């Protein structure tokens, strides 16, 4: 069974304090790994797709990386507006299958 | 930009009522999905659809049904609402093998 585990559940950072969020996965052949950001009371917003080990994607202060077993979302010099829940999801290679989501990491950045 | 619109942001219904949640996307996406999101449980897939008049059960279909008569519209139906169906409901859509895009959700309360 495909599975995604995110850690930590919650993370509190001072503004400017860089850190990483972890997404460990098991999947029967990875088609893609997806990162989303979700603000309170809103739907998840798509950030990145990673397709193969070694791939990296960047957007502003965020950088996502991928290995064969896990992905990291690195946050460099975060600001309070980066506070959100970050969700990771995987899609198996077998056909047009739905995403399997982790439970998310709730990030708080304090000024 | 992709636009996924859910008909209501907030909805209050009574136990035993038949409840309809509507979702419309404007990007000609083949795939559409319904999730519910509860604290500590993450996103859970209720039903999805790969084409008009097609539907597939997700992880928690009990107590729900869906309808997809047109490509752009995917409806979630609670046949006889119960208090344990109080939740945030999220609709998403995607093209084949592409990231899902979400609406802003409907917060449903069953009294």
């Amino acid at each position: 069974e495909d599975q995604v585990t995110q850690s930590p559940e919650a993370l509190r950072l001072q503004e400017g304090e860089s850190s990483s969020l972890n997404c460990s996965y098991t999947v029967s052949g990875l088609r893609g790994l997806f990162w989303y950001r979700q603000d309170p009371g809103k739907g998840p917003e798509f950030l990145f797709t990673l397709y193969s080990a070694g791939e990296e994607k960047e957007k502003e202060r965020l950088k996502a990386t991928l290995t064969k077993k896990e992905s990291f979302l690195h946050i460099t010099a975060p600001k309070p507006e980066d506070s959100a829940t970050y969700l990771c999801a995987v899609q198996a290679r077998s056909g047009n299958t739905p995403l399997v989501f982790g439970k998310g990491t709730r990030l708080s950045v304090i000024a | 930009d992709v636009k996924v619109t859910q008909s209501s942001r907030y909805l209050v219904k009574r136990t035993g009522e038949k409840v309809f949640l509507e979702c419309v996307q404007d990007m000609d996406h083949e795939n559409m999905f319904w999730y519910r999101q509860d604290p500590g449980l993450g996103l859970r897939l209720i039903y999805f659809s790969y084409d008009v008049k097609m539907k597939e059960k997700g992880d928690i279909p009990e107590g729900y049904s869906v309808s997809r008569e047109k490509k752009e519209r995917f409806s979630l139906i609670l046949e006889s609402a119960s208090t344990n169906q109080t939740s945030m409901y999220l609709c998403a859509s995607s093209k084949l093998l592409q990231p899902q895009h979400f609406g802003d959700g409907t917060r449903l309360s069953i009294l």
Side-chain angles (χ1 to χ4, degrees):
Chain A
E1 183 183 338
D2 301 339
Q3 200 165 5
V4 176
T5 303
Q6 292 188 246
S7 62
E9 288 186 22
L11 181 62
R12 188 181 171 97
L13 299 174
Q14 293 293 320
E15 185 173 3
E17 180 187 1
S18 301
S19 188
S20 297
L21 313 183
N22 176 263
C23 171
S24 298
Y25 65 90
T26 54
V27 64
S28 52
L30 180 71
R31 178 179 298 283
L33 184 140
F34 304 82
W35 282 99
Y36 287 82
R37 169 194 170 121
Q38 186 175 22
D39 293 303
K42 309 208 74 177
E45 175 189 351
F46 170 70
L47 292 173
F48 305 111
T49 308
L50 301 166
Y51 292 104
S52 57
E55 189 176 359
E56 298 183 354
K57 293 271 179 76
E58 284 190 66
K59 180 178 181 179
E60 296 181 358
R61 295 175 291 282
L62 300 177
K63 183 168 82 172
T65 61
L66 181 65
T67 73
K68 288 188 177 179
K69 292 184 178 180
E70 57 191 349
S71 176
F72 292 93
L73 185 65
H74 307 277
I75 303 176
T76 302
K79 298 182 177 182
E81 54 261 42
D82 294 321
S83 298
T85 296
Y86 291 87
L87 298 170
C88 172
V90 297
Q91 186 176 38
R93 192 176 294 138
S94 54
N96 189 20
T97 55
L99 302 186
V100 175
F101 281 86
K103 293 182 179 179
T105 293
R106 189 171 64 254
L107 174 67
S108 300
V109 182
I110 311 303
Chain B
D1 271 359
V2 176
K3 184 79 172 172
V4 179
T5 303
Q6 295 185 229
S7 53
S8 305
R9 291 299 308 275
Y10 301 94
L11 204 54
V12 180
K13 295 291 182 181
R14 298 213 171 269
T15 304
E17 279 192 71
K18 190 169 186 176
V19 181
F20 293 84
L21 302 183
E22 306 286 345
C23 176
V24 177
Q25 50 93 4
D26 67 355
M27 289 302 291
D28 200 37
H29 285 173
E30 294 84 6
N31 303 331
M32 295 190 76
F33 308 84
W34 274 107
Y35 294 87
R36 64 178 284 177
Q37 188 174 37
D38 301 286
L41 297 178
L43 281 165
R44 292 183 290 168
L45 182 63
I46 305 171
Y47 268 97
F48 57 102
S49 168
Y50 291 143
D51 202 348
V52 176
K53 296 192 187 294
M54 293 185 67
K55 61 184 179 184
E56 299 281 345
K57 291 181 180 179
D59 300 317
I60 52 163
E62 296 79 19
Y64 303 94
S65 62
V66 290
S67 172
R68 194 168 181 198
E69 296 296 319
K70 294 185 177 182
K71 191 175 185 179
E72 68 271 18
R73 186 180 298 269
F74 193 34
S75 302
L76 179 69
I77 304 153
L78 285 66
E79 297 291 343
S80 177
S82 64
T83 54
N84 63 12
Q85 293 179 308
T86 291
S87 186
M88 169 72 104
Y89 288 87
L90 288 160
C91 175
S93 72
S94 73
K95 291 202 74 72
L96 281 173
L97 307 179
Q98 295 297 311
Q100 293 178 10
H101 296 270
F102 286 82
D104 274 341
T106 295
R107 188 165 295 281
L108 175 64
S109 296
I110 308 295
L111 304 179

